[in-house]
């Protein structure tokens, strides 16, 4: 097999013109225009608005393909397009080769008939996704409902037509309530020239059968594309060790060949926090006439099921891994950039490492983005992060014509086959919020009011895609994994109801419900909920100027896509905090507000296990610098929320809370062992004086949530000063502190926060510094920063209790002298 990536010598121009410029492949027209200084940074201030002309044009890319006599002798020569975005017409030497219309599909196309010896011109013209969408929109017999996330007004689309639903392309490119509208075209994934003789392994599927302590049994299903009937030997190897070998008579065309094999004493793959992630590199080797071709996939050995059992309250919804029910702790994940070809390996590594170090075991790849690159899933395999994988459909109904349905079917086949061997893939989900939109957002009612016949057709298209085509693809190509038709829902076609399935709870935020509702509005699996914050000032400086530093400025409003955004942040902030004195203080208090709000949620969800068995907040990352629900911003800087999540998702959590006038303390234990422990409770004042204390010996059962303390709050507070005191809760196993948490009896704005004197000392260590902190009085939400320098603090935004010594590690490349100059320590009392 000859395999050559075509990533050099590319040029591009607006179609029909001859102003050729250098292009980067993989890439897109926006990044190429940017690299050639033809446009300004789309993220800076209001530049996005000036770039809406780009998606109305057609763009042509070309390069030269060299073919020698040796190459041309091969039986087969093909171009393998891993991703063309989206309406692409491909030609070689002026001869049309293929036309494509799906960003999410891969296209392998025979090109031998089009090649000549020497140089060949490969040209790809990308037709405007907007112009193509408008044509389809106008030709369609009725309007297909789509949410306001398609920002057609900003996009200056004629008649503000929401055309995104007609194009199989990343929905978030058309805008979202956290993203810009930058509708791309281009060669977004690699292109390879491939040549081979006789036969080629197209695909390798590893099907797991039985897993026992002594051995695990499998089938290797090898898909082979054969020129003519041949005798061949297929072997299955693991790191050089032969596991199976068989003679086959290969038949012309594409066929499947199956071999059984086993692995002795299998090491099981576990999620992060429960065990290791051993991976096996399985290779299929094809020998024909002394020629060998091979294909490898990495697998993890594990059993996983989505358990949907009837119980006294409804139907369970939880994942059982290797026989153990596992509470899923994690977040929703969107693409790391509006231009996905720009996402580096380092960025993928950072986001997966953030999930792992934050004690997560699941990420949900959300349905308005992309089916991610292989390297993302590889990293999740290694980190023990399960993936809830949406198909790419979100917040819109879709057309139901045969051409569209066939396109969806092919897209599902491509992506299920590509990803199915990853142990990290945990669930295939049909769509994001479409069932909810139909029944709960009023779409069904609105469409029926317009035309019952069209409403029926709209929902028929929904059923065809999500109840027929996608589950059939999973059943055919990845039958060992569960399929869930829509998130949130209670079952196929059944709206969410809190007792039978998963839930997206947006009463906090959209409904202005108080944070405390997070602890009571709980379903069997909480797959979305969230609260917004702006990024920190260092990030704001990268897209705005000081004249923009006001949440109601034009630039700040443009980098805030929620229709109720900045006003809602302020509304919630003033419930619990005094008004911050300036813009920088507002950003900091907003971070703390977001973190404290989500703390309510994820602790409430974990306390509710085993009724609730999952908590995935919205969202871990951003695709541009913006005010959003993210816990890390576009530059992957941790907000306060990420630090709170890391603590809130620790395997053992002590969680104080109030419920119906009672003060309670629960302990959640995700570990698979019972823990004999001491629960230590104390009330201290803001100067550190102990007002009250109690210690209880407890046994915390494996994989459980238990309330160990329960008193009447009013009785408890008698003789105590709720404005000047707090509750400290700690869980000890022997001398080791397993978990600690604090609880305030009033909103922060009602507390008499002291003005602490925080003392710090700095020691040089490998990779940065260790900072030791101590305070004479409560230092609420202590925030360390090093100005505009780069660095990462091991903890931040935490409450430093009086008399307690805390050591923080700072990873940075700056010098000690520079650190002394830029290190600042902020506490909440300074912001008002």
């Amino acid at each position: 097999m000859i395999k050559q990536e075509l990533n050099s010598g590319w040029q591009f121009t607006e179609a029909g013109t001859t102003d050729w410029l250098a292009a980067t492949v993989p890439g897109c027209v926006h990044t190429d225009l940017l690299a050639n200084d033809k446009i300004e940074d789309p993220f800076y201030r209001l530049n996005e608005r000036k770039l809406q002309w780009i998606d109305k044009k057609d763009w042509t890319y070309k390069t030269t393909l060299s073919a020698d006599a040796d190459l041309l002798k091969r039986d087969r020569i093909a171009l393998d397009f891993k991703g063309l975005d989206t309406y692409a017409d491909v030609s070689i030497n002026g001869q049309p080769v293929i036309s494509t219309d799906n960003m999410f599909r891969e296209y392998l196309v025979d090109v031998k008939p089009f090649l000549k010896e020497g140089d060949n011109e490969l040209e790809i013209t990308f037709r405007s996704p907007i112009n193509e969408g408008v044509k389809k929109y106008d030709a369609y017999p009725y309007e297909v409902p789509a949410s306001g996330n398609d920002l057609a007004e900003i996009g200056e689309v004629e008649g503000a037509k929401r055309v995104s639903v007609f194009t199989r392309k990343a929905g978030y490119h058309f805008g979202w309530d956290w993203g810009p509208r930058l509708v791309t075209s281009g060669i977004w994934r690699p292109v390879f020239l491939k040549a081979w003789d006789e036969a080629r392994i197209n695909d390798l599927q590893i099907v797991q059968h039985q897993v026992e302590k002594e051995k695990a049994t499998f089938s290797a299903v090898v898909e082979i594309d054969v020129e003519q009937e041949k005798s061949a030997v297929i072997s299955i190897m693991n790191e050089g060790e032969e596991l199976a070998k068989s003679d086959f008579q290969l038949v012309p065309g594409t066929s499947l060949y199956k071999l059984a094999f086993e692995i002795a004493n299998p090491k099981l793959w576990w999620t992060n926090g429960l065990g290791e992630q051993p991976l096996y590199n399985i290779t299929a080797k094809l020998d024909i006439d002394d020629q060998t071709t091979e294909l490898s996939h990495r697998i993890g050995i594990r059993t996983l099921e989505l358990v949907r059992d009837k119980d006294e309250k409804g139907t369970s919804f939880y994942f059982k891994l290797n026989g153990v029910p596992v509470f899923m702790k994690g977040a929703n994940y969107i693409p790391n950039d509006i231009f996905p070809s720009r996402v580096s390996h380092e960025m993928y590594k950072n986001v997966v490492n953030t999930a792992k170090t934050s004690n997560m075991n699941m990420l949900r790849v959300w349905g308005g983005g992309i089916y991610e690159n292989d390297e993302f899933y590889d990293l999740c395999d290694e980190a023990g992060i399960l993936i809830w994988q949406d198909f790419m459909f979100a917040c819109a109904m879709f057309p139901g014509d045969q051409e569209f349905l066939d396109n969806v079917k092919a897209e599902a086949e491509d992506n299920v086959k590509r990803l199915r061997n990853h142990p990290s893939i945990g669930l295939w989900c049909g769509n994001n919020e479409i069932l909810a939109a139909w029944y709960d957002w009023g779409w069904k009612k609105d469409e029926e009011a317009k035309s019952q016949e069209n409403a029926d057709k709209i929902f028929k298209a929904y059923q065809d895609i999500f109840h027929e085509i996608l589950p059939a693809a999973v059943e055919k190509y990845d039958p060992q994994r569960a399929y869930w038709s829509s998130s949130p829902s209670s079952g196929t076609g059944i709206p969410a109801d809190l007792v039978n399935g998963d839930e997206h709870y947006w009463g906090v935020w959209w409904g202005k419900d108080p944070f405390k509702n997070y602890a009571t509005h709980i379903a069997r699996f909480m797959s979305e909920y969230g609260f917004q914050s702006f990024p920190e000032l260092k990030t704001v400086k990268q897209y705005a100027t000081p004249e923009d530093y006001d949440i109601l400025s034009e630039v700040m409003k443009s980098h805030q896509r929620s229709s109720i955004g900045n006003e809602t942040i302020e509304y919630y902030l003033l419930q619990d905090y005094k008004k911050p004195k300036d813009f920088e203080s507002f950003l900091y208090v907003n971070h703390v507000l977001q973190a404290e709000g989500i703390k309510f949620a994820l602790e409430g969800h974990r306390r509710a296990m085993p009724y609730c068995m999952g908590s995935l907040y919205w969202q871990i990352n951003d695709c541009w610098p913006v005010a959003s629900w993210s816990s890390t911003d576009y530059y992957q800087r941790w907000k306060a929320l990420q630090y709170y999540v890391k603590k809130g998702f620790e395997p053992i959590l002590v969680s104080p809370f109030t419920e119906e006038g009672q003060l309670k303390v629960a302990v959640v234990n995700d570990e698979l062992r019972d823990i004999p422990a001491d629960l230590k409770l104390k009330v201290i004042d803001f100067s550190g004086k102990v007002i009250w204390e109690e210690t209880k010996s407890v046994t915390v059962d494996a994989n459980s949530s238990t309330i160990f303390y329960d008193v009447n709050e009013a009785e408890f507070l008698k003789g105590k000063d709720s404005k000047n005191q707090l509750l400290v809760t700690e869980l000890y196993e022997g001398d080791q502190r397993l978990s600690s948490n604090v609880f305030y009896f009033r909103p922060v704005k009602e507390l008499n926060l002291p003005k602490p004197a925080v003392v710090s000392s700095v020691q040089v260590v490998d990779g940065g510094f260790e900072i030791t902190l101590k305070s004479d009085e409560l230092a609420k939400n202590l925030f360390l920063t090093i100005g505009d320098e780069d660095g990462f603090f091991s903890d931040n935004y935490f409450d430093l209790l009086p008399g307690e010594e805390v050591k923080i590690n700072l990873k940075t490349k700056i010098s000690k002298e520079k650190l002394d100059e830029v290190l600042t320590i902020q506490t909440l009392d300074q912001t008002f």
Side-chain angles (χ1 to χ4, degrees):
M1 162 81 74
I2 292 172
K3 181 180 176 183
Q4 176 195 347
E5 186 174 352
L6 304 181
N7 57 2
S8 61
W10 285 95
Q11 296 176 291
F12 82 112
T13 188
E14 185 185 327
T17 71
T18 53
D19 183 17
W20 292 96
L21 299 165
T24 300
V25 170
C28 73
V29 66
H30 288 75
T31 51
D32 287 331
L33 289 168
L34 192 58
N36 284 282
D37 296 323
K38 295 296 181 186
I39 61 172
E40 293 177 80
D41 179 2
F43 295 169
Y44 188 67
R45 301 197 77 218
L46 303 173
N47 285 348
E48 172 206 6
R49 296 178 186 177
K50 302 175 196 166
L51 306 181
Q52 297 306 315
W53 58 274
I54 297 169
D55 60 30
K56 320 293 184 299
K57 307 280 188 189
D58 298 346
W59 299 91
T60 300
Y61 281 72
K62 70 175 184 183
T63 192
T64 301
L65 193 62
S66 184
D68 58 20
D70 213 29
L71 177 79
L72 294 173
K73 272 189 220 152
R74 294 301 189 113
D75 290 345
R76 297 280 292 280
I77 308 171
L79 283 175
D80 188 1
F81 296 100
K82 295 300 182 187
L84 295 173
D85 176 16
T86 293
Y87 296 103
D89 299 316
V90 182
S91 66
I92 293 177
N93 300 324
Q95 296 286 307
V97 171
I98 189 174
S99 287
T100 74
D101 62 354
N102 190 322
M103 176 180 178
F104 305 124
R105 285 178 63 183
E106 297 183 6
Y107 297 92
L108 184 76
V109 54
D110 282 321
V111 293
K112 188 170 177 176
F114 303 100
L115 293 175
K116 61 181 185 357
E117 193 169 346
D119 287 345
N120 297 266
E121 186 170 77
L122 170 61
E123 191 172 279
I124 308 174
T125 294
F126 292 94
R127 284 172 281 128
S128 155
I130 301 305
N131 297 345
E132 293 297 316
V134 167
K135 277 187 226 164
K136 293 183 177 198
Y137 182 102
D138 289 346
Y140 212 69
Y142 50 82
E143 194 177 335
V144 178
S147 76
N149 290 311
D150 180 335
L151 302 170
E153 293 85 355
I154 286 175
E156 298 164 8
V157 183
E158 64 166 82
K161 293 170 182 172
R162 291 181 181 150
V163 301
S164 55
V165 298
F166 292 99
T167 299
R168 291 310 299 145
K169 172 173 173 55
Y172 82 117
H173 283 164
F174 297 86
W176 217 266
D177 60 4
W178 36 256
R181 183 186 173 95
L182 294 162
V183 185
T184 58
S185 291
I187 307 165
W188 76 287
R189 277 183 171 152
V191 184
F192 295 98
L193 177 69
K194 293 181 174 178
W196 65 93
D197 292 321
E198 298 193 306
R200 166 181 179 267
I201 301 176
N202 286 345
D203 191 43
L204 167 63
Q205 180 187 14
I206 310 300
V207 181
Q208 178 183 294
H209 302 301
Q210 292 292 112
V211 178
E212 288 153 5
K213 203 172 177 197
E214 296 74 32
K215 67 175 183 182
T217 58
F218 303 86
S219 299
V221 183
V222 190
E223 183 184 296
I224 303 177
D225 185 0
V226 180
E227 285 298 291
Q228 52 191 342
E229 190 166 332
K230 280 274 179 185
S231 298
V233 176
I234 303 175
S235 336
I236 303 300
M237 323 282 290
N238 170 36
E239 305 292 357
E241 180 196 350
E242 190 177 283
L243 302 175
K245 186 176 188 176
S246 198
D247 294 326
F248 288 93
Q249 199 63 25
L250 304 183
V251 296
T254 301
S255 304
L256 300 176
Y257 302 86
K258 197 180 281 191
L259 292 87
F261 70 94
E262 58 185 53
I263 292 175
N265 306 312
K267 297 188 180 109
L268 295 186
W269 184 94
W270 288 94
T271 46
N272 181 34
L274 286 184
E276 299 299 310
Q277 292 79 40
L279 296 165
Y280 294 81
N281 202 38
I282 306 297
T283 302
K285 217 165 96 178
L286 173 67
D287 288 300
I288 308 176
D289 299 342
D290 300 326
Q291 290 197 41
T292 299
T293 177
E294 56 183 48
L295 183 66
S296 298
H297 276 301
R298 264 190 339 180
I299 64 162
I301 301 173
R302 50 118 179 107
T303 62
L304 183 73
E305 60 176 311
L306 175 65
V307 181
R308 304 270 296 129
D309 285 342
K310 290 274 179 222
D311 58 29
E312 68 283 359
K313 289 184 176 148
T315 316
S316 69
F317 189 107
Y318 70 88
F319 292 87
K320 191 187 268 192
L321 174 68
N322 300 327
V324 175
V326 180
F327 188 99
M328 291 300 150
K329 302 177 289 192
N332 287 263
Y333 167 95
I334 65 171
N336 290 298
D337 200 303
I338 191 70
F339 309 123
S341 57
R342 235 174 24 176
V343 180
S344 65
H345 184 70
E346 202 55 35
M347 288 164 78
Y348 279 124
K349 234 164 73 180
N350 283 345
V351 73
V352 174
N353 192 50
T354 288
K356 182 175 182 174
T357 56
S358 299
N359 300 299
M360 295 185 187
N361 55 19
M362 179 173 270
L363 290 172
R364 173 178 174 235
V365 175
W366 163 84
I370 60 173
Y371 304 92
E372 267 298 349
N373 288 351
D374 295 344
E375 64 189 305
F376 170 77
Y377 301 96
D378 287 340
L379 289 162
C380 291
D381 293 344
E382 292 162 15
I385 306 293
L386 274 176
I387 298 299
W388 170 309
Q389 178 66 53
D390 281 6
F391 285 95
M392 291 302 117
F393 300 88
C395 301
M397 305 307 281
F398 286 88
D401 57 280
Q402 199 55 49
E403 187 186 355
F404 188 87
L405 298 179
D406 290 346
N407 203 353
V408 167
K409 187 178 178 185
E411 169 190 321
E413 177 180 343
D414 277 7
N415 288 285
V416 174
K417 286 172 74 173
R418 176 169 70 93
L419 300 177
R420 63 189 172 186
N421 288 311
H422 288 280
S424 56
I425 296 284
L427 173 81
W428 294 100
C429 178
N431 70 70
N432 173 77
E433 294 188 347
I434 304 179
L435 191 73
W438 187 248
Y439 284 111
D440 303 333
W441 301 1
W443 289 9
K444 179 178 189 283
K445 198 172 150 197
D446 291 347
E447 294 307 317
E448 286 174 347
K450 287 188 229 167
S451 159
Q452 183 66 51
E453 185 189 353
N454 288 347
D456 291 344
K457 285 178 185 168
I458 290 166
F459 197 66
K460 168 81 164 58
Y462 175 91
Q463 291 172 310
D464 287 345
I465 296 169
F466 303 111
H467 299 174
E468 303 292 337
I469 292 169
L470 297 183
V474 173
E475 180 57 39
K476 183 174 180 181
Y477 299 111
D478 193 17
Q480 294 176 303
R481 285 195 181 81
Y483 172 80
W484 188 243
S485 63
S486 184
S487 181
S489 68
S490 292
T492 303
I494 307 165
D497 63 7
L498 295 184
V499 294
N500 290 298
D502 73 317
E503 169 72 338
H504 296 188
Y505 176 48
W506 288 104
V508 174
W509 186 260
W510 290 106
K512 301 263 197 324
D513 293 354
F515 284 141
K516 68 175 197 289
N517 283 25
Y518 274 140
T520 54
H521 185 101
I522 296 179
R524 310 312 291 257
F525 196 103
M526 299 299 292
S527 46
E528 260 195 44
Y529 59 93
F531 191 85
Q532 273 202 355
S533 71
F534 276 86
E536 66 177 86
L537 187 63
K538 184 155 91 177
T539 294
V540 171
K541 284 178 179 176
Q542 290 177 256
Y543 69 81
T545 60
E547 71 195 78
D548 306 320
Y549 293 176
D550 179 326
I551 62 162
L552 299 177
S553 73
E554 195 69 10
V555 168
M556 287 302 139
K557 287 199 296 196
S558 185
H559 286 253
Q560 163 60 278
R561 288 300 157 88
S562 173
S563 56
I564 61 166
N566 296 352
E567 299 82 356
T568 302
I569 292 172
E570 192 166 51
Y571 166 82
Y572 275 95
L573 191 146
L574 295 176
Q575 303 298 304
D576 285 330
Y577 299 88
K578 296 170 187 166
K579 193 174 174 67
K581 64 186 180 189
D582 54 30
F583 181 72
E584 189 172 353
S585 298
F586 176 86
L587 297 184
Y588 158 69
V589 180
N590 181 193
H591 274 213
V592 173
L593 172 76
Q594 179 193 32
E596 291 284 356
I598 299 305
K599 180 179 192 277
F600 259 103
L602 58 86
E603 288 194 16
H605 301 159
R606 292 188 69 191
R607 289 194 305 263
M609 72 179 284
Y611 177 81
C612 175
M613 285 297 283
S615 182
L616 311 179
Y617 67 88
W618 185 272
Q619 71 216 59
I620 194 172
N621 59 335
D622 273 329
C623 69
W624 74 317
V626 66
S628 83
W629 294 269
S630 69
S631 53
T632 66
D633 69 25
Y634 171 72
Y635 300 103
Q636 300 187 311
R637 294 171 185 143
W638 282 31
K639 298 180 179 180
L641 175 54
Q642 196 65 56
Y643 288 102
Y644 273 51
V645 163
K646 183 183 178 188
K647 291 170 189 162
F649 281 157
E650 278 177 352
I652 299 158
L653 171 75
V654 57
S655 177
F657 65 107
T658 54
E659 185 177 66
E660 295 174 349
Q662 295 293 110
L663 173 66
K664 303 181 181 185
V665 181
V667 178
V668 180
N669 177 17
D670 288 340
E671 293 188 1
L672 305 182
R673 65 181 184 110
D674 297 345
I675 301 172
D678 289 321
L679 178 62
K680 298 187 176 184
L681 312 174
K682 61 181 177 183
V683 174
I684 61 169
D685 68 16
F686 294 164
S687 301
K689 184 182 170 193
V690 177
I691 308 301
W692 169 91
E693 60 186 325
E694 186 175 321
T695 299
K696 288 184 78 167
S697 290
V698 297
T699 298
V700 187
D701 291 345
N703 206 8
S704 72
S705 167
T706 313
I707 291 170
F708 286 111
Y709 191 77
D710 185 350
V711 294
N712 180 277
E713 187 184 13
E715 288 292 318
F716 181 83
L717 285 174
K718 275 184 184 165
K720 299 182 182 76
D721 182 353
S722 58
K723 289 186 175 185
N724 293 287
Q725 294 168 5
L726 72 146
L727 175 67
V728 181
T729 61
E730 298 170 307
L731 190 75
Y732 279 85
E733 183 178 22
D735 295 333
Q736 187 193 0
R737 188 167 75 174
L738 300 179
S739 177
S740 68
N741 212 334
V742 294
F743 181 83
Y744 294 89
F745 302 104
R746 288 172 175 262
V748 176
K749 67 180 180 183
E750 295 176 19
L751 299 176
N752 295 326
L753 289 182
K755 300 213 169 294
V758 179
V759 180
S760 64
S761 61
V762 175
Q763 195 179 337
V764 179
V765 294
D766 280 354
F769 305 94
E770 185 179 77
I771 302 167
T772 302
L773 298 160
K774 210 165 179 180
S775 178
D776 61 336
E777 296 190 278
L778 171 69
K780 183 109 183 68
N781 300 114
L782 188 145
F783 174 45
L784 298 158
T785 183
I786 48 173
D788 296 332
E789 303 297 327
D790 283 327
F792 176 75
F793 291 96
S794 59
D795 197 5
N796 223 336
Y797 299 94
F798 55 90
D799 291 354
L800 179 60
L801 300 182
E804 196 176 69
E805 188 176 271
V806 172
K807 292 183 189 298
I808 303 296
N809 187 271
L810 167 63
K811 275 188 195 157
T812 184
K813 290 180 176 159
I814 65 174
S815 66
K816 170 76 164 62
E817 293 71 34
K818 188 67 182 173
L819 180 66
D820 290 341
E821 184 191 316
V822 296
L823 179 67
T824 58
I825 297 171
Q826 182 165 9
T827 50
L828 197 62
D829 58 283
Q830 299 164 9
T831 59
F832 309 115

